[in-house]
């Protein structure tokens, strides 16, 4: 808390209220409005919470104007280039980079939780073959409360840590099983000899008929993408996890709610929507037509993978994935015309006043799908890939909230309905 205050004067009551200014270690200061209603009788109105902080957090910092993203103070560019997904998972959960022995122990803990109860596989087999994998993921993760709920006390830090490790470890196993269900392939169990990204590729693509060779380029690219998706402060799905967690619900229910929120095309579902959009555009000659549609208020079409609530500059993750697209496709000896199309679409959009004035830049979802596609991951699995990475941020933020005193989340509203009126018996209604 600073000593600074802001003063509000209500012309109606002529009352004046001094509200404290709360400053974090970085970022814009906030006004603590908790006394606004009891002392001045007002609520605040902030649809979409564009100007409202719902918590204090030490985990991730974003400066939208400068395109800055840091996990526990470390710039995302350095982590993507030099760290690993397991290392940043430790960082996000515990606040510091691990020593070699801490990382080894942590990696072992996660590895030994990658299997799921065999009944989970029979649960997945109950879904229609073409069920969207996000439907399977949200359903199965919520069901895990039935397997691991026994005496789970969310107020016990050891119980919280075990649940966090289970969720991080099992998310790829369930996601890969959802894909294999669609393919009609038998389950592929995790291999303890493989690292996190290698294990996912094995669980996704290995078939009993032959040995599966892990492509190190694919594993490295996947590990980097998981780092980029791990956390992003109070985005819609993380805020959902916090809101559900604020009721004391178990972590499996919280993360299942986060998966549901992430699925929307305005959020994590955008990576799938970008690929569909690029296929729909098809050729650079049609880019103008789609840019026109994106600008037309009467057309619900939006340029998927563009724009962001916080970034009013390049999303640093988009800059990293754009560069990685070229490297990964070149390393894999692939050439994807969709990358050229995406680059041209980005160039044309960023020269158009509509996008420039609204500070609409490519976000994390604009290029990530092109890399997933190059790794052989089907479009419907793109959002589950986002969920695998973001599970770390969800559980880190849930642990942070659960470890300190907090109130149940309960926003207010502006009521615009009828005033009081008396009940009318049905035979008297016209
Ligand atoms: C993610 O919050 C996070 O951190 C999310 C995320 C994370 O890591 O968790 O970063 C991941 O969700 C990235 C965003 C993925 N979604 C998309 O790519 C879908 C397309 N983008 C838009 O739907 C939109 O930009 C949002 C949802 C991302 C942001 O919406 P806002 O902040 O509510 O912005 P807005 O809708 O108020 O838009 C402001 C203006 C509007 O025009 P005007 O009314 O001012 O004339 O910009 C326009 C919008 O119509 N606009 C777009 C646009 N995005 C915004 N116009 C065309 N195409 C777009 N993509």
């Amino acid at each position: 808390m600073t000593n600074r205050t802001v003063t509000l004067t209500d012309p109606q009551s002529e009352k004046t209220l001094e509200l404290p200014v709360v400053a974090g270690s970085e970022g814009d200061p906030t006004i603590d409005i908790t006394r606004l209603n009891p002392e001045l009788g007002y609520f605040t109105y902030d649809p979409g919470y564009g100007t409202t902080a719902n918590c204090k957090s030490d985990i991730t910092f974003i400066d939208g104007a400068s395109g800055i993203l840091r996990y526990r103070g470390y710039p995302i560019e350095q982590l993507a280039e030099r760290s690993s997904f397991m290392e940043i998972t430790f960082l996000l959960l515990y606040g510091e980079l691990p020593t070699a022995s801490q990382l080894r122990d942590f990696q072992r803990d996660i590895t030994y939780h990658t299997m799921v109860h065999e009944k989970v596989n029979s649960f997945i087999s109950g879904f229609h073959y073409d069920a969207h994998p996000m439907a399977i993921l949200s359903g199965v993760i919520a069901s895990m409360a039935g397997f691991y709920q026994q005496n789970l006390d969310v107020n016990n830090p050891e119980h919280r840590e075990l649940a966090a490790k289970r969720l991080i470890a099992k998310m790829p196993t369930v996601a890969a099983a959802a894909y294999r269900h669609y393919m009609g392939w038998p389950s592929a169990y995790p291999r303890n000899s493989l690292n996190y990204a290698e294990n996912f590729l094995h669980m996704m693509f290995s078939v009993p008929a032959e040995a599966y060779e892990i492509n190190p380029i694919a594993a490295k690219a996947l590990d980097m993408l998981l780092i980029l998706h791990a956390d992003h402060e109070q985005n819609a799905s993380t805020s959902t996890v916090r809101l559900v967690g604020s009721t004391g619900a178990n972590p499996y229910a919280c993360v299942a709610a986060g998966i549901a929120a992430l699925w929307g095309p305005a959020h994590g579902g955008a990576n799938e929507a970008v690929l569909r959009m690029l296929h729909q555009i098809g050729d650079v000659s049609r880019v103008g037509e789609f840019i026109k549609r994106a600008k037309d208020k009467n057309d619900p079409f939006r340029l998927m993978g563009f724009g962001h609530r916080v970034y009013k500059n390049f999303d640093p993750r988009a800059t990293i994935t754009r560069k990685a697209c070229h490297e990964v496709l070149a390393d894999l000896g692939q050439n994807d015309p969709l990358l050229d199309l995406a680059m041209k679409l980005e160039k044309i959009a960023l020269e158009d006043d509509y996008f420039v004035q609204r500070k609409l830049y490519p976000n994390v979802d604009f290029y990530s799908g092109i890399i997933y596609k190059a790794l052989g991951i089907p479009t419907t699995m793109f959002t589950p890939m986002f969920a695998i990475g973001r599970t770390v941020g969800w559980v880190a933020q849930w642990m942070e909230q659960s470890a300190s005193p907090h109130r149940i989340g309960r926003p207010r509203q502006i009521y615009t309905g009828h005033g009081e009126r008396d009940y009318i018996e049905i035979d008297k209604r016209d």
Side-chain angles (χ1 to χ4, degrees):
M1 197 76 97
T2 67
N3 296 329
R4 275 170 54 195
T5 60
V6 291
T7 305
L8 266 184
T9 303
D10 177 11
Q12 229 169 354
S13 64
E14 293 176 354
K15 272 187 182 174
T16 298
L17 177 62
E18 295 235 343
L19 292 168
V21 171
V22 181
S25 49
E26 298 232 36
D28 296 340
T30 58
I31 299 169
D32 178 341
I33 56 168
T34 43
R35 290 175 27 236
L36 179 62
N37 184 257
E39 298 196 23
L40 223 49
Y42 285 93
F43 286 126
T44 57
Y45 180 52
D46 182 19
Y49 307 114
T51 323
T52 298
N54 70 344
C55 66
K56 292 178 182 173
S57 178
D58 299 344
I59 298 174
T60 292
F61 173 69
I62 301 173
D63 176 335
S66 316
I68 288 172
L69 169 58
R70 300 190 200 121
Y71 292 163
R72 301 283 189 178
Y74 294 97
I76 193 67
E77 295 80 1
Q78 294 181 26
L79 295 173
E81 181 76 26
R82 299 160 58 186
S83 187
S84 70
F85 181 60
M86 272 300 104
E87 191 174 70
I88 65 100
T89 297
F90 185 99
L91 173 68
L92 287 169
L93 289 183
Y94 303 113
E96 297 299 336
L97 288 168
T99 61
S101 65
Q102 284 173 327
L103 182 58
R104 198 173 39 251
D105 294 347
F106 181 72
Q107 190 119 20
R108 190 203 54 244
D109 283 359
I110 296 295
T111 299
Y112 280 84
H113 282 294
T114 47
M115 281 188 72
V116 293
H117 192 291
E118 199 58 24
K119 286 281 182 215
V120 169
N121 288 317
S122 44
F123 183 6
I124 292 174
S125 65
F127 281 89
H128 198 263
Y129 85 94
D130 63 352
H132 195 287
M134 286 298 276
I136 297 177
L137 209 53
S138 53
V140 171
I141 295 301
S143 78
M144 284 194 171
F147 294 95
Y148 303 110
Q149 169 70 352
Q150 296 79 353
N151 63 43
L152 190 162
D153 173 6
V154 296
N155 298 309
N156 181 323
E158 284 168 17
H159 289 194
R160 291 200 295 266
E161 188 179 13
L162 176 56
K165 287 178 178 174
R166 278 175 165 155
L167 280 158
I168 292 165
K170 297 178 194 303
M171 196 62 74
T173 310
V174 177
Y179 170 67
R180 299 180 78 92
H181 173 65
Y182 171 77
M183 296 298 287
W185 293 348
S187 310
Y189 292 92
R191 284 263 169 78
N192 292 348
S193 58
L194 300 174
N195 73 30
Y196 196 86
E198 292 168 343
N199 221 349
F200 177 72
L201 292 170
H202 154 70
M203 290 189 284
M204 276 285 284
F205 299 121
S206 66
V207 287
E210 59 187 26
Y212 176 70
E213 282 291 306
I214 303 274
N215 181 326
I217 296 165
K220 186 171 180 304
L222 181 55
D223 195 84
M224 184 273 294
L225 285 171
L226 291 171
I227 291 172
L228 296 183
H229 286 83
D231 193 48
H232 213 239
E233 58 134 281
Q234 304 312 315
N235 57 85
S237 53
T238 301
S239 304
T240 301
V241 170
R242 278 184 174 259
L243 185 60
V244 176
S246 74
T247 71
N250 73 77
Y252 303 97
C254 297
V255 169
I259 294 169
L262 186 74
W263 194 0
H267 190 13
N271 55 17
E272 177 179 346
V274 166
L275 252 289
R276 296 193 193 290
M277 175 185 74
L278 292 173
H279 280 299
Q280 199 186 359
I281 294 174
D283 180 87
V284 66
S285 60
R286 294 192 63 198
V287 164
E289 171 196 333
F290 282 83
I291 294 268
K292 190 161 172 283
R293 285 189 56 193
K295 292 157 57 173
D296 178 355
K297 293 299 166 214
N298 301 317
D299 188 330
F301 174 79
R302 285 199 160 179
L303 211 52
M304 301 315 281
F306 256 76
H308 198 277
R309 173 60 58 77
V310 177
Y311 288 122
K312 300 308 171 191
N313 197 319
F314 262 88
D315 177 337
R317 302 166 299 177
T319 308
I320 295 167
T321 41
R322 185 199 307 120
K323 179 168 171 282
C325 275
H326 292 289
E327 291 162 357
V328 172
L329 266 61
D331 292 346
L332 293 174
Q334 291 186 25
N335 172 29
D336 188 344
L338 289 184
L339 177 55
D340 300 337
L341 181 56
M343 303 279 289
K344 288 193 179 78
L345 176 58
E346 174 194 327
K347 184 174 180 312
I348 295 168
L350 294 182
E351 287 165 357
D352 185 298
D353 271 354
Y354 173 93
F355 292 89
V356 173
Q357 279 162 15
R358 291 168 180 78
K359 300 185 172 22
L360 301 176
Y361 291 90
N363 58 52
V364 65
D365 294 307
F366 191 62
Y367 287 102
S368 55
I370 293 172
I371 301 178
Y372 290 139
K373 180 169 173 282
L375 304 185
I377 295 169
T379 308
T380 51
M381 283 296 292
F382 287 5
T383 309
M385 300 307 298
F386 198 143
I388 293 170
R390 188 53 55 88
T391 295
V392 174
W394 290 334
V395 297
Q397 301 262 355
W398 169 75
M399 285 172 78
E400 181 180 65
Q401 174 177 271
S402 305
S404 48
H406 58 274
R407 304 174 71 201
I408 187 169
R410 206 282 187 210
R412 300 306 300 268
Q413 62 171 18
I414 295 176
Y415 177 69
T416 55
H418 284 282
E420 184 177 356
R421 50 183 177 162
D422 293 328
Y423 182 78
I424 302 166
E425 301 308 328
I426 194 160
D427 54 0
K428 294 194 177 59
R429 292 173 208 159
D430 44 19

